[in-house]
Amino acid sequence: MEHLLRKHHLAHIPELKVGENLFKHRFSTGCSMSNCDGVCCKLGVYADVKERDKILSHIDLIHKYMEPHQEHDPERWFDANESDDKDFLSGRAIGTVAMDYGCVFLDSAGRCTLQKACTAEGMPPYFLKPFYCVAFPVTVDHGFLIVDDVELENRPPCCIIDPKGSLNVFDVCPTELEYVLGREGAEELRTLFNSAK
């Protein structure tokens, strides 16, 4: 049965469908997004092209919080090619460059330099951080809200999928769900989840 969310705040996806795996997946006992070590960023991440432009308008701020080993040349922060993707607000996406240490913005502690810089400067913590980075492991794929299970194998205890696990996506990712959907959308999703049991 296909579930449709109508109360979310993703205006660019008016008919957001709920992917089957969002309700199906279970997580290991003790999983918490606060245990994240940034391993999911090892191959780089995707950002909306407008998010890229916003990041590039704050180069000096980002440089201030980068570690010596990180790539400081903003010309090497993003891939050369953009792609069409309706899951992104502008309909265009671009990848961050993956270095030997992971995403170009990942520091040695597995933390995002973009978020670190904003927090340190008293700005909203996600002001520069791409939407889908904040949302992970929740994502939207071809108009379906899902758990990005491709990245969740052999993960530390932040969000590892375990068919026999005691936790569901609401236990592990309440903040991420509300960030993606807004409060009303997250409540609508929970209602759908409870009715699907």
mmCIF file of all heavy atoms in Angstrom, residues 84-132:
data_model
loop_
_atom_site.group_PDB
_atom_site.id
_atom_site.type_symbol
_atom_site.label_atom_id
_atom_site.label_comp_id
_atom_site.label_asym_id
_atom_site.label_seq_id
_atom_site.Cartn_x
_atom_site.Cartn_y
_atom_site.Cartn_z
ATOM 1 N N ASP A 84 20.725 17.004 -12.985
ATOM 2 C CA ASP A 84 19.312 17.248 -12.714
ATOM 3 C C ASP A 84 18.848 16.274 -11.644
ATOM 4 O O ASP A 84 19.139 15.082 -11.713
ATOM 5 C CB ASP A 84 18.476 17.025 -13.985
ATOM 6 C CG ASP A 84 18.729 18.081 -15.046
ATOM 7 O OD1 ASP A 84 18.992 19.235 -14.671
ATOM 8 O OD2 ASP A 84 18.673 17.747 -16.235
ATOM 9 N N ASP A 85 18.135 16.776 -10.640
ATOM 10 C CA ASP A 85 17.605 15.914 -9.587
ATOM 11 C C ASP A 85 16.438 16.621 -8.919
ATOM 12 O O ASP A 85 16.622 17.599 -8.183
ATOM 13 C CB ASP A 85 18.684 15.575 -8.557
ATOM 14 C CG ASP A 85 18.288 14.427 -7.658
ATOM 15 O OD1 ASP A 85 17.093 14.314 -7.325
ATOM 16 O OD2 ASP A 85 19.170 13.638 -7.273
ATOM 17 N N LYS A 86 15.233 16.146 -9.158
ATOM 18 C CA LYS A 86 14.029 16.784 -8.642
ATOM 19 C C LYS A 86 13.870 16.648 -7.134
ATOM 20 O O LYS A 86 12.993 17.293 -6.547
ATOM 21 C CB LYS A 86 12.798 16.228 -9.359
ATOM 22 C CG LYS A 86 12.738 16.615 -10.810
ATOM 23 C CD LYS A 86 11.512 16.040 -11.490
ATOM 24 C CE LYS A 86 11.507 16.418 -12.965
ATOM 25 N NZ LYS A 86 10.357 15.835 -13.673
ATOM 26 N N ASP A 87 14.691 15.818 -6.504
ATOM 27 C CA ASP A 87 14.638 15.701 -5.047
ATOM 28 C C ASP A 87 15.297 16.888 -4.363
ATOM 29 O O ASP A 87 15.159 17.073 -3.153
ATOM 30 C CB ASP A 87 15.300 14.404 -4.583
ATOM 31 C CG ASP A 87 14.560 13.167 -5.070
ATOM 32 O OD1 ASP A 87 13.321 13.225 -5.166
ATOM 33 O OD2 ASP A 87 15.222 12.154 -5.352
ATOM 34 N N PHE A 88 16.021 17.703 -5.118
ATOM 35 C CA PHE A 88 16.687 18.889 -4.584
ATOM 36 C C PHE A 88 15.854 20.125 -4.898
ATOM 37 O O PHE A 88 15.212 20.205 -5.948
ATOM 38 C CB PHE A 88 18.094 19.012 -5.164
ATOM 39 C CG PHE A 88 19.049 17.999 -4.613
ATOM 40 C CD1 PHE A 88 19.049 16.694 -5.090
ATOM 41 C CD2 PHE A 88 19.937 18.328 -3.599
ATOM 42 C CE1 PHE A 88 19.921 15.739 -4.574
ATOM 43 C CE2 PHE A 88 20.813 17.386 -3.077
ATOM 44 C CZ PHE A 88 20.804 16.090 -3.564
ATOM 45 N N LEU A 89 15.897 21.088 -4.006
ATOM 46 C CA LEU A 89 15.032 22.262 -4.091
ATOM 47 C C LEU A 89 15.110 22.974 -5.434
ATOM 48 O O LEU A 89 14.098 23.332 -6.023
ATOM 49 C CB LEU A 89 15.368 23.232 -2.955
ATOM 50 C CG LEU A 89 14.513 24.486 -2.851
ATOM 51 C CD1 LEU A 89 13.055 24.133 -2.623
ATOM 52 C CD2 LEU A 89 15.021 25.381 -1.727
ATOM 53 N N SER A 90 16.313 23.170 -5.971
ATOM 54 C CA SER A 90 16.456 23.882 -7.241
ATOM 55 C C SER A 90 16.315 22.951 -8.445
ATOM 56 O O SER A 90 16.274 23.415 -9.574
ATOM 57 C CB SER A 90 17.822 24.574 -7.304
ATOM 58 O OG SER A 90 18.847 23.611 -7.505
ATOM 59 N N GLY A 91 16.277 21.640 -8.173
ATOM 60 C CA GLY A 91 16.240 20.663 -9.257
ATOM 61 C C GLY A 91 17.613 20.340 -9.818
ATOM 62 O O GLY A 91 17.737 19.596 -10.789
ATOM 63 N N ARG A 92 18.676 20.880 -9.172
ATOM 64 C CA ARG A 92 20.054 20.629 -9.614
ATOM 65 C C ARG A 92 20.900 20.249 -8.406
ATOM 66 O O ARG A 92 20.815 20.878 -7.342
ATOM 67 C CB ARG A 92 20.664 21.874 -10.268
ATOM 68 C CG ARG A 92 19.889 22.431 -11.442
ATOM 69 C CD ARG A 92 20.110 21.671 -12.722
ATOM 70 N NE ARG A 92 21.481 21.766 -13.169
ATOM 71 C CZ ARG A 92 22.028 20.937 -14.072
ATOM 72 N NH1 ARG A 92 21.311 19.952 -14.583
ATOM 73 N NH2 ARG A 92 23.262 21.074 -14.456
ATOM 74 N N ALA A 93 21.723 19.209 -8.561
ATOM 75 C CA ALA A 93 22.572 18.731 -7.467
ATOM 76 C C ALA A 93 24.024 18.683 -7.914
ATOM 77 O O ALA A 93 24.331 18.595 -9.114
ATOM 78 C CB ALA A 93 22.120 17.343 -7.023
ATOM 79 N N ILE A 94 24.902 18.733 -6.932
ATOM 80 C CA ILE A 94 26.342 18.634 -7.198
ATOM 81 C C ILE A 94 26.997 17.943 -6.009
ATOM 82 O O ILE A 94 26.551 18.097 -4.865
ATOM 83 C CB ILE A 94 26.961 20.031 -7.443
ATOM 84 C CG1 ILE A 94 28.373 19.904 -8.009
ATOM 85 C CG2 ILE A 94 26.920 20.890 -6.177
ATOM 86 C CD1 ILE A 94 28.880 21.135 -8.703
ATOM 87 N N GLY A 95 28.031 17.165 -6.278
ATOM 88 C CA GLY A 95 28.715 16.441 -5.206
ATOM 89 C C GLY A 95 29.877 17.227 -4.639
ATOM 90 O O GLY A 95 30.513 18.021 -5.341
ATOM 91 N N THR A 96 30.144 16.999 -3.350
ATOM 92 C CA THR A 96 31.385 17.518 -2.783
ATOM 93 C C THR A 96 32.505 16.546 -3.173
ATOM 94 O O THR A 96 32.258 15.364 -3.409
ATOM 95 C CB THR A 96 31.325 17.630 -1.246
ATOM 96 O OG1 THR A 96 31.168 16.324 -0.678
ATOM 97 C CG2 THR A 96 30.185 18.538 -0.806
ATOM 98 N N VAL A 97 33.698 17.041 -3.228
ATOM 99 C CA VAL A 97 34.847 16.208 -3.580
ATOM 100 C C VAL A 97 35.191 15.310 -2.400
ATOM 101 O O VAL A 97 35.184 15.745 -1.242
ATOM 102 C CB VAL A 97 36.055 17.086 -3.981
ATOM 103 C CG1 VAL A 97 37.308 16.243 -4.136
ATOM 104 C CG2 VAL A 97 35.744 17.850 -5.264
ATOM 105 N N ALA A 98 35.477 14.062 -2.680
ATOM 106 C CA ALA A 98 35.916 13.122 -1.651
ATOM 107 C C ALA A 98 37.435 13.050 -1.672
ATOM 108 O O ALA A 98 38.035 12.739 -2.695
ATOM 109 C CB ALA A 98 35.321 11.743 -1.897
ATOM 110 N N MET A 99 38.033 13.353 -0.559
ATOM 111 C CA MET A 99 39.482 13.266 -0.401
ATOM 112 C C MET A 99 39.806 11.920 0.251
ATOM 113 O O MET A 99 38.914 11.126 0.540
ATOM 114 C CB MET A 99 39.983 14.428 0.472
ATOM 115 C CG MET A 99 39.485 15.793 0.018
ATOM 116 S SD MET A 99 39.949 16.229 -1.676
ATOM 117 C CE MET A 99 41.674 16.621 -1.450
ATOM 118 N N ASP A 100 41.067 11.677 0.539
ATOM 119 C CA ASP A 100 41.418 10.408 1.187
ATOM 120 C C ASP A 100 40.834 10.313 2.599
ATOM 121 O O ASP A 100 40.671 9.236 3.140
ATOM 122 C CB ASP A 100 42.934 10.185 1.214
ATOM 123 C CG ASP A 100 43.694 11.311 1.902
ATOM 124 O OD1 ASP A 100 43.068 12.321 2.296
ATOM 125 O OD2 ASP A 100 44.917 11.182 2.054
ATOM 126 N N TYR A 101 40.474 11.443 3.190
ATOM 127 C CA TYR A 101 39.880 11.456 4.528
ATOM 128 C C TYR A 101 38.349 11.526 4.488
ATOM 129 O O TYR A 101 37.698 11.572 5.522
ATOM 130 C CB TYR A 101 40.436 12.631 5.350
ATOM 131 C CG TYR A 101 40.257 13.996 4.719
ATOM 132 C CD1 TYR A 101 39.081 14.722 4.866
ATOM 133 C CD2 TYR A 101 41.281 14.566 3.965
ATOM 134 C CE1 TYR A 101 38.918 15.969 4.292
ATOM 135 C CE2 TYR A 101 41.129 15.809 3.383
ATOM 136 C CZ TYR A 101 39.947 16.514 3.554
ATOM 137 O OH TYR A 101 39.797 17.762 2.972
ATOM 138 N N GLY A 102 37.764 11.554 3.304
ATOM 139 C CA GLY A 102 36.307 11.633 3.156
ATOM 140 C C GLY A 102 35.898 12.931 2.501
ATOM 141 O O GLY A 102 36.689 13.551 1.781
ATOM 142 N N CYS A 103 34.673 13.369 2.756
ATOM 143 C CA CYS A 103 34.190 14.634 2.210
ATOM 144 C C CYS A 103 35.192 15.734 2.509
ATOM 145 O O CYS A 103 35.792 15.782 3.592
ATOM 146 C CB CYS A 103 32.829 14.974 2.835
ATOM 147 S SG CYS A 103 32.229 16.619 2.420
ATOM 148 N N VAL A 104 35.359 16.623 1.584
ATOM 149 C CA VAL A 104 36.329 17.713 1.715
ATOM 150 C C VAL A 104 36.106 18.535 2.986
ATOM 151 O O VAL A 104 37.048 19.126 3.520
ATOM 152 C CB VAL A 104 36.288 18.601 0.449
ATOM 153 C CG1 VAL A 104 34.989 19.372 0.368
ATOM 154 C CG2 VAL A 104 37.485 19.513 0.337
ATOM 155 N N PHE A 105 34.883 18.550 3.500
ATOM 156 C CA PHE A 105 34.572 19.347 4.688
ATOM 157 C C PHE A 105 34.667 18.553 5.996
ATOM 158 O O PHE A 105 34.392 19.092 7.067
ATOM 159 C CB PHE A 105 33.176 19.958 4.559
ATOM 160 C CG PHE A 105 33.050 20.886 3.385
ATOM 161 C CD1 PHE A 105 32.203 20.577 2.322
ATOM 162 C CD2 PHE A 105 33.782 22.060 3.318
ATOM 163 C CE1 PHE A 105 32.090 21.428 1.238
ATOM 164 C CE2 PHE A 105 33.682 22.913 2.240
ATOM 165 C CZ PHE A 105 32.832 22.601 1.190
ATOM 166 N N LEU A 106 35.057 17.297 5.930
ATOM 167 C CA LEU A 106 35.135 16.444 7.119
ATOM 168 C C LEU A 106 36.453 16.675 7.852
ATOM 169 O O LEU A 106 37.528 16.623 7.248
ATOM 170 C CB LEU A 106 35.020 14.981 6.694
ATOM 171 C CG LEU A 106 34.548 13.969 7.724
ATOM 172 C CD1 LEU A 106 33.127 14.273 8.180
ATOM 173 C CD2 LEU A 106 34.639 12.569 7.151
ATOM 174 N N ASP A 107 36.397 16.934 9.164
ATOM 175 C CA ASP A 107 37.636 17.138 9.905
ATOM 176 C C ASP A 107 38.157 15.820 10.475
ATOM 177 O O ASP A 107 37.558 14.757 10.274
ATOM 178 C CB ASP A 107 37.475 18.219 10.983
ATOM 179 C CG ASP A 107 36.635 17.794 12.179
ATOM 180 O OD1 ASP A 107 36.327 16.589 12.333
ATOM 181 O OD2 ASP A 107 36.286 18.683 12.990
ATOM 182 N N SER A 108 39.256 15.863 11.192
ATOM 183 C CA SER A 108 39.901 14.637 11.675
ATOM 184 C C SER A 108 39.088 13.918 12.742
ATOM 185 O O SER A 108 39.329 12.745 13.014
ATOM 186 C CB SER A 108 41.293 14.961 12.230
ATOM 187 O OG SER A 108 41.191 15.892 13.301
ATOM 188 N N ALA A 109 38.125 14.604 13.350
ATOM 189 C CA ALA A 109 37.261 13.977 14.357
ATOM 190 C C ALA A 109 35.973 13.451 13.735
ATOM 191 O O ALA A 109 35.089 12.985 14.455
ATOM 192 C CB ALA A 109 36.936 14.982 15.460
ATOM 193 N N GLY A 110 35.856 13.522 12.407
ATOM 194 C CA GLY A 110 34.650 13.071 11.731
ATOM 195 C C GLY A 110 33.506 14.060 11.857
ATOM 196 O O GLY A 110 32.337 13.687 11.777
ATOM 197 N N ARG A 111 33.830 15.323 12.033
ATOM 198 C CA ARG A 111 32.827 16.369 12.172
ATOM 199 C C ARG A 111 32.836 17.272 10.939
ATOM 200 O O ARG A 111 33.863 17.477 10.310
ATOM 201 C CB ARG A 111 33.071 17.216 13.428
ATOM 202 C CG ARG A 111 33.040 16.412 14.714
ATOM 203 C CD ARG A 111 31.630 15.943 15.030
ATOM 204 N NE ARG A 111 31.578 15.120 16.221
ATOM 205 C CZ ARG A 111 31.051 13.910 16.247
ATOM 206 N NH1 ARG A 111 30.568 13.363 15.155
ATOM 207 N NH2 ARG A 111 31.003 13.223 17.351
ATOM 208 N N CYS A 112 31.678 17.852 10.658
ATOM 209 C CA CYS A 112 31.528 18.725 9.492
ATOM 210 C C CYS A 112 32.051 20.119 9.809
ATOM 211 O O CYS A 112 31.562 20.776 10.740
ATOM 212 C CB CYS A 112 30.057 18.787 9.091
ATOM 213 S SG CYS A 112 29.742 19.906 7.717
ATOM 214 N N THR A 113 33.004 20.574 9.031
ATOM 215 C CA THR A 113 33.572 21.905 9.234
ATOM 216 C C THR A 113 32.525 22.989 9.020
ATOM 217 O O THR A 113 32.558 24.034 9.676
ATOM 218 C CB THR A 113 34.762 22.132 8.273
ATOM 219 O OG1 THR A 113 35.762 21.138 8.556
ATOM 220 C CG2 THR A 113 35.368 23.507 8.436
ATOM 221 N N LEU A 114 31.585 22.763 8.117
ATOM 222 C CA LEU A 114 30.545 23.758 7.859
ATOM 223 C C LEU A 114 29.696 23.976 9.109
ATOM 224 O O LEU A 114 29.431 25.116 9.508
ATOM 225 C CB LEU A 114 29.659 23.308 6.693
ATOM 226 C CG LEU A 114 30.381 23.032 5.375
ATOM 227 C CD1 LEU A 114 29.400 22.481 4.339
ATOM 228 C CD2 LEU A 114 31.068 24.291 4.852
ATOM 229 N N GLN A 115 29.286 22.895 9.737
ATOM 230 C CA GLN A 115 28.493 22.996 10.959
ATOM 231 C C GLN A 115 29.338 23.539 12.103
ATOM 232 O O GLN A 115 28.873 24.368 12.895
ATOM 233 C CB GLN A 115 27.916 21.629 11.324
ATOM 234 C CG GLN A 115 27.025 21.666 12.558
ATOM 235 C CD GLN A 115 26.352 20.330 12.833
ATOM 236 O OE1 GLN A 115 26.302 19.455 11.980
ATOM 237 N NE2 GLN A 115 25.833 20.162 14.038
ATOM 238 N N LYS A 116 30.560 23.092 12.185
ATOM 239 C CA LYS A 116 31.470 23.537 13.247
ATOM 240 C C LYS A 116 31.672 25.051 13.177
ATOM 241 O O LYS A 116 31.621 25.756 14.192
ATOM 242 C CB LYS A 116 32.802 22.789 13.100
ATOM 243 C CG LYS A 116 33.816 23.067 14.176
ATOM 244 C CD LYS A 116 35.007 22.116 14.086
ATOM 245 C CE LYS A 116 35.833 22.336 12.846
ATOM 246 N NZ LYS A 116 37.068 21.525 12.811
ATOM 247 N N ALA A 117 31.872 25.576 11.965
ATOM 248 C CA ALA A 117 32.094 27.010 11.776
ATOM 249 C C ALA A 117 30.863 27.813 12.179
ATOM 250 O O ALA A 117 30.961 28.819 12.890
ATOM 251 C CB ALA A 117 32.453 27.292 10.319
ATOM 252 N N CYS A 118 29.698 27.364 11.745
ATOM 253 C CA CYS A 118 28.466 28.087 12.057
ATOM 254 C C CYS A 118 28.194 28.097 13.555
ATOM 255 O O CYS A 118 27.841 29.131 14.132
ATOM 256 C CB CYS A 118 27.287 27.482 11.302
ATOM 257 S SG CYS A 118 27.353 27.778 9.527
ATOM 258 N N THR A 119 28.367 26.952 14.193
ATOM 259 C CA THR A 119 28.134 26.857 15.632
ATOM 260 C C THR A 119 29.082 27.773 16.395
ATOM 261 O O THR A 119 28.666 28.509 17.296
ATOM 262 C CB THR A 119 28.303 25.398 16.106
ATOM 263 O OG1 THR A 119 27.377 24.575 15.382
ATOM 264 C CG2 THR A 119 28.056 25.269 17.595
ATOM 265 N N ALA A 120 30.360 27.758 16.018
ATOM 266 C CA ALA A 120 31.368 28.573 16.699
ATOM 267 C C ALA A 120 31.112 30.064 16.538
ATOM 268 O O ALA A 120 31.435 30.862 17.423
ATOM 269 C CB ALA A 120 32.764 28.222 16.179
ATOM 270 N N GLU A 121 30.506 30.444 15.421
ATOM 271 C CA GLU A 121 30.260 31.863 15.144
ATOM 272 C C GLU A 121 28.879 32.327 15.601
ATOM 273 O O GLU A 121 28.471 33.452 15.315
ATOM 274 C CB GLU A 121 30.431 32.132 13.646
ATOM 275 C CG GLU A 121 31.847 31.896 13.129
ATOM 276 C CD GLU A 121 32.854 32.919 13.651
ATOM 277 O OE1 GLU A 121 32.455 34.081 13.874
ATOM 278 O OE2 GLU A 121 34.029 32.537 13.827
ATOM 279 N N GLY A 122 28.144 31.455 16.293
ATOM 280 C CA GLY A 122 26.835 31.837 16.806
ATOM 281 C C GLY A 122 25.742 31.885 15.753
ATOM 282 O O GLY A 122 24.684 32.479 15.965
ATOM 283 N N MET A 123 25.981 31.224 14.624
ATOM 284 C CA MET A 123 24.985 31.149 13.557
ATOM 285 C C MET A 123 24.150 29.892 13.764
ATOM 286 O O MET A 123 24.546 28.999 14.522
ATOM 287 C CB MET A 123 25.705 31.096 12.197
ATOM 288 C CG MET A 123 26.605 32.284 11.928
ATOM 289 S SD MET A 123 27.818 31.957 10.618
ATOM 290 C CE MET A 123 26.758 31.891 9.180
ATOM 291 N N PRO A 124 22.995 29.781 13.093
ATOM 292 C CA PRO A 124 22.274 28.503 13.156
ATOM 293 C C PRO A 124 23.213 27.379 12.697
ATOM 294 O O PRO A 124 23.926 27.536 11.697
ATOM 295 C CB PRO A 124 21.113 28.706 12.171
ATOM 296 C CG PRO A 124 20.907 30.178 12.119
ATOM 297 C CD PRO A 124 22.282 30.774 12.277
ATOM 298 N N PRO A 125 23.259 26.261 13.410
ATOM 299 C CA PRO A 125 24.264 25.230 13.115
ATOM 300 C C PRO A 125 24.194 24.657 11.703
ATOM 301 O O PRO A 125 25.213 24.229 11.160
ATOM 302 C CB PRO A 125 24.005 24.154 14.160
ATOM 303 C CG PRO A 125 22.647 24.428 14.698
ATOM 304 C CD PRO A 125 22.403 25.890 14.536
ATOM 305 N N TYR A 126 23.005 24.665 11.101
ATOM 306 C CA TYR A 126 22.859 24.076 9.770
ATOM 307 C C TYR A 126 22.789 25.123 8.660
ATOM 308 O O TYR A 126 22.377 24.825 7.548
ATOM 309 C CB TYR A 126 21.609 23.189 9.712
ATOM 310 C CG TYR A 126 21.578 22.103 10.767
ATOM 311 C CD1 TYR A 126 20.388 21.750 11.382
ATOM 312 C CD2 TYR A 126 22.739 21.436 11.156
ATOM 313 C CE1 TYR A 126 20.349 20.754 12.343
ATOM 314 C CE2 TYR A 126 22.708 20.451 12.126
ATOM 315 C CZ TYR A 126 21.520 20.113 12.719
ATOM 316 O OH TYR A 126 21.484 19.129 13.672
ATOM 317 N N PHE A 127 23.202 26.339 8.952
ATOM 318 C CA PHE A 127 23.099 27.425 7.976
ATOM 319 C C PHE A 127 23.830 27.101 6.671
ATOM 320 O O PHE A 127 23.351 27.402 5.586
ATOM 321 C CB PHE A 127 23.646 28.721 8.578
ATOM 322 C CG PHE A 127 23.602 29.895 7.653
ATOM 323 C CD1 PHE A 127 22.381 30.478 7.314
ATOM 324 C CD2 PHE A 127 24.769 30.417 7.104
ATOM 325 C CE1 PHE A 127 22.325 31.565 6.449
ATOM 326 C CE2 PHE A 127 24.717 31.496 6.234
ATOM 327 C CZ PHE A 127 23.493 32.074 5.906
ATOM 328 N N LEU A 128 24.998 26.474 6.765
ATOM 329 C CA LEU A 128 25.785 26.136 5.578
ATOM 330 C C LEU A 128 25.748 24.653 5.229
ATOM 331 O O LEU A 128 26.136 24.271 4.130
ATOM 332 C CB LEU A 128 27.251 26.565 5.757
ATOM 333 C CG LEU A 128 27.520 28.055 5.822
ATOM 334 C CD1 LEU A 128 29.001 28.312 6.099
ATOM 335 C CD2 LEU A 128 27.098 28.752 4.531
ATOM 336 N N LYS A 129 25.307 23.823 6.140
ATOM 337 C CA LYS A 129 25.360 22.380 5.930
ATOM 338 C C LYS A 129 24.264 21.951 4.952
ATOM 339 O O LYS A 129 23.101 22.327 5.117
ATOM 340 C CB LYS A 129 25.181 21.661 7.266
ATOM 341 C CG LYS A 129 25.544 20.183 7.231
ATOM 342 C CD LYS A 129 25.629 19.634 8.644
ATOM 343 C CE LYS A 129 26.050 18.178 8.631
ATOM 344 N NZ LYS A 129 26.261 17.655 9.992
ATOM 345 N N PRO A 130 24.609 21.176 3.920
ATOM 346 C CA PRO A 130 23.592 20.747 2.955
ATOM 347 C C PRO A 130 22.440 19.987 3.614
ATOM 348 O O PRO A 130 22.631 19.230 4.569
ATOM 349 C CB PRO A 130 24.380 19.851 1.991
ATOM 350 C CG PRO A 130 25.769 20.403 2.037
ATOM 351 C CD PRO A 130 25.961 20.793 3.490
ATOM 352 N N PHE A 131 21.256 20.194 3.069
ATOM 353 C CA PHE A 131 20.020 19.623 3.603
ATOM 354 C C PHE A 131 20.125 18.119 3.831
ATOM 355 O O PHE A 131 19.785 17.615 4.897
ATOM 356 C CB PHE A 131 18.871 19.925 2.618
ATOM 357 C CG PHE A 131 17.555 19.328 3.000
ATOM 358 C CD1 PHE A 131 16.726 19.980 3.901
ATOM 359 C CD2 PHE A 131 17.125 18.124 2.460
ATOM 360 C CE1 PHE A 131 15.495 19.441 4.261
ATOM 361 C CE2 PHE A 131 15.902 17.580 2.803
ATOM 362 C CZ PHE A 131 15.085 18.237 3.714
ATOM 363 N N TYR A 132 20.606 17.380 2.832
ATOM 364 C CA TYR A 132 20.622 15.924 2.953
ATOM 365 C C TYR A 132 21.712 15.433 3.895
ATOM 366 O O TYR A 132 21.646 14.304 4.374
ATOM 367 C CB TYR A 132 20.721 15.266 1.583
ATOM 368 C CG TYR A 132 19.398 15.330 0.834
ATOM 369 C CD1 TYR A 132 19.231 16.135 -0.287
ATOM 370 C CD2 TYR A 132 18.301 14.597 1.279
ATOM 371 C CE1 TYR A 132 18.007 16.204 -0.954
ATOM 372 C CE2 TYR A 132 17.075 14.654 0.625
ATOM 373 C CZ TYR A 132 16.937 15.456 -0.486
ATOM 374 O OH TYR A 132 15.719 15.527 -1.123
#
